DNA sequence: CATGAATGAGCGTTCATTCAT
DNA sequence: GATGAATGAACGCTCATTCAT
């Protein structure tokens, strides 16, 4: 069984994806002509259409790939990392690390994923829902195990956690600040677990 | 004392702004031709340019107006509401209420403000910075007054709070869920202050 | 017998004409919005249409008026100035003086009169033909009187004279150079009559 | 050695230039939509922009090319044709021949080159200056060699010559008259050298 | 497989002209 | 008479996509 020459495995396929992420991160989706992506990838305009159905498809694929990698990474680690608190901290860390892994992709995730452009909104929503539901499960398990308070909504907490981390990442991405993902993740989870009221036991 | 006929006070000016917010919320800035905004506002295409310098200008004005209203509202209430906790809760509540006040505008704030399109990014960044800095001041005052822990960064906490609320709002906006702004604000601030660890005193 | 209030006699009529000449001289016909002419004239856009049928009509009227004045001036002087050479010199002088009389109008005559835009071409052509035919008559009379050579075409000579003077004027207008109309007229007619070959008797 | 496919050498490039000259000659620059030029050239609107940067650029290129050809032609002939009188006659002849070579281009040169539209004025002025300065040099050499009178300004004479020829050409172009370029050139130079006064020796 | 010239629909914006006040 | 807000057709230009080579 062989992969098609224009399939996901091929080198040009990846070059186009990377170029698209870079160019779109710099200029935004609607200010990134296909020709600019092609030029950055070092291929002809038409070549893009041998590998992808449309310009939309390139962006969609890039985002899908990134989310899939995220979920796979989290899923794998969850097999050996079982405490709810540790799991939350791991998710926060991986989320925050995305900055360092691929700055262009981090920008793109902050800027394009939330577009109201129908085609983007629809498929990105699905990814966010999945992220949230993973966190909710962890929270619920923590509540069942008596580690977390039961008088707060797991949904609200999950959204708060995602939003808090995403905003930290966003701010860092836009200001160009760098931070230590592990330490920052620890801080966020500390606040989430213990609150900021004076007298809260430091975790 | 008269307002210029095409100025901010006039009825058409407002109709155009409202139409722009609606149309852009539905389709995104780049998928919203000026002609569609004009049609929604019930005016000719060219009329838009009697009231605004450009398509950009319409969006910018809509966003500026919303942020200004937010900051004015918060500023006024702060004169009579002085406890750090109460202030945070008030900010959260106003932020969350924006959903109910104008759903289209809430969508627009979630989708367009973060665009990488240069002209949007630049002026919206400034508004977010102002929001964050207001929250940071409240936090720092709380820390000085011994109400809040001093071993957490006011910046990190401020971003977490903004991100958490914004994500809740975003999620509600996209799923169409409705909620009670005051109650939700209270929950968020409860989590922020007390954390979710079991045994945390309910605020 | 009264003039209509919006007729050629009224003050606003003239203000609009002057403004149009100035604005069009500065920016060209197609880069001069009616609104700019109205603003320069100190009237509302719509007012222009009380005095003129269209934007075209304003320009046409301005050009017609100028040519009419030229022909009237030449016609009057011809009654007392009867030598062919003196008449040619007078025509040259009045032509060259137009620069000083109204610089904007001189620019406009150099730049807009020759446009190929149908509406301009058609009516300006008629004025040029009249200019040329006046000169031709003078030449023919000079030939009949034995003052001018008979082996040159009066048409060719008339065009040469007009073209030579117009180009001098044009060059002066564009470079901003000033000159003495009377002296320059004399030079041109000297060259026309005596030629530039060495040994030609200075007239 | 290959030319770029969209470069000056290609067939479509020339077709677009020719179409532009024709259409603009008929309707004027500002009344010639790009779409009309494209239609005349038998290409899509967008294709124009593969070959030229803008509508301006098309016109500019057409005019530049024409002037360059003129100057090259004159320059080459000057190497073997050295008498000042012969040189002037040759310039006049080439100038007058432009009519026959390409009637549309001749019209365009008469109508658009003098526009006050900034972008046209600036680059055409430069070409006219070069024409004039070539003629002035010839005149000055003639004066030094004692062939031409020294009591007339070379500048005035050069402008007179250019203007006279250009006006003859213009008149012929607009009335549709045809003439013999060589014979007409001879006449003009005859008048210029010998004048029209009776008794002037026929050259 | 790869190219890149060609397409043409669609955009943001301008402006001559009208007409209710 | 005078106004200037309103109109909407028309423009120059861009760019996702196709297809002959």
């Amino acid at each position: 069984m062989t992969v098609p020459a224009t399939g996901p495995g091929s080198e040009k396929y990846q070059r186009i994806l990377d170029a698209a992420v870079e160019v779109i991160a710099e200029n935004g989706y609607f200010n990134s002509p296909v020709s600019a992506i092609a030029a950055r990838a070092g291929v002809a305009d038409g070549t893009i259409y041998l590998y992808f159905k449309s310009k939309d498809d390139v962006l969609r694929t890039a985002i899908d790939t990134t989310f899939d990698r995220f979920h796979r990474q989290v899923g794998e680690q969850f097999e050996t990392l079982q405490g709810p608190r540790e799991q939350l901290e791991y998710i926060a860390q991986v989320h925050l690390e995305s900055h360092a892994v691929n700055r262009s992709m981090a920008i793109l995730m902050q800027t394009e994923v939330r577009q109201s452009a129908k085609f983007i909104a629809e498929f990105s929503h699905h990814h966010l829902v999945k992220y949230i539901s993973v966190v909710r499960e962890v929270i619920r398990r923590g509540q069942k195990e008596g580690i977390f308070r039961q008088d707060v909504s797991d949904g609200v907490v999950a959204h708060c956690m995602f939003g808090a981390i995403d905003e930290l990442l966003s701010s860092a991405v836009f200001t160009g600040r760098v931070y230590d993902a592990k330490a920052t993740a620890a801080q966020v989870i500390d606040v989430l677990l213990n609150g900021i009221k004076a007298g809260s036991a430091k975790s």
Side-chain angles (χ1 to χ4, degrees), chain A residues 39-80:
Chain A
R40 184 76 63 103
V43 301
D45 295 13
T47 303
I48 303 240
Y49 291 84
L50 298 175
Y51 291 83
F52 299 92
K53 278 202 300 292
S54 65
K55 187 187 172 191
D56 291 9
D57 190 35
V58 181
L59 179 56
R60 185 175 15 250
T61 303
I63 293 177
D64 281 352
T65 305
T66 300
F67 270 110
D68 288 349
R69 188 156 29 206
F70 174 85
H71 288 303
R72 198 166 345 102
Q73 194 175 347
V74 168
E76 282 168 10
Q77 194 70 2
F78 270 27
E79 291 173 12
T80 66

Side-chain angles (χ1 to χ4, degrees), chain A residues 1-202:
Chain A
M1 208 185 92
T2 58
V3 255
T6 59
S10 85
E11 186 237 347
K12 256 177 207 176
Y13 181 93
Q14 197 55 50
R15 269 209 339 255
I16 292 168
L17 273 186
D18 292 345
V21 169
E22 278 181 36
V23 171
I24 294 174
E26 282 166 27
N27 306 109
Y29 180 76
F30 289 103
N31 288 311
S32 297
V34 169
S35 60
I37 296 172
R40 184 76 63 103
V43 301
D45 295 13
T47 303
I48 303 240
Y49 291 84
L50 298 175
Y51 291 83
F52 299 92
K53 278 202 300 292
S54 65
K55 187 187 172 191
D56 291 9
D57 190 35
V58 181
L59 179 56
R60 185 175 15 250
T61 303
I63 293 177
D64 281 352
T65 305
T66 300
F67 270 110
D68 288 349
R69 188 156 29 206
F70 174 85
H71 288 303
R72 198 166 345 102
Q73 194 175 347
V74 168
E76 282 168 10
Q77 194 70 2
F78 270 27
E79 291 173 12
T80 66
L81 193 75
Q82 308 224 335
R85 187 206 168 115
E86 286 70 29
Q87 290 188 337
L88 292 186
E89 215 165 301
Y90 185 70
I91 289 173
Q93 181 188 327
V94 175
H95 190 165
L96 284 161
E97 269 165 357
S98 63
H99 183 178
V101 171
N102 186 340
R103 178 160 190 275
S104 291
M105 182 47 104
I107 293 175
L108 190 152
M109 297 290 280
Q110 292 299 329
T111 56
E112 306 302 323
V113 161
R114 317 216 181 188
Q115 293 246 9
S116 58
K118 290 274 158 45
F119 81 93
I120 302 179
E122 270 154 35
F123 81 88
S124 350
H125 184 64
H126 153 259
H127 287 302
L128 296 182
V129 165
K130 188 168 173 192
Y131 180 112
I132 294 293
S133 74
V134 168
V135 175
R136 289 181 74 167
E137 258 171 60
V138 177
I139 308 264
R140 274 200 300 269
R141 197 147 45 71
Q143 292 176 319
K144 221 177 288 172
E145 296 178 7
I147 304 176
F148 298 154
R149 291 163 59 184
Q150 301 193 3
D151 62 341
V152 290
S153 148
D154 56 309
V156 168
V157 172
H159 280 292
C160 285
M161 173 172 152
F162 171 79
I165 295 166
D166 208 45
E167 165 60 22
L168 278 170
L169 178 55
S170 175
S171 156
V173 157
F174 288 131
T175 60
R177 207 168 46 237
V178 293
Y179 52 78
D180 178 84
K182 207 159 191 169
T184 307
Q187 270 189 70
V188 172
I189 300 302
D190 172 21
V191 168
L192 183 68
L193 264 56
N194 302 306
I196 63 167
K197 219 164 59 180
S200 306
K202 173 98 191 250

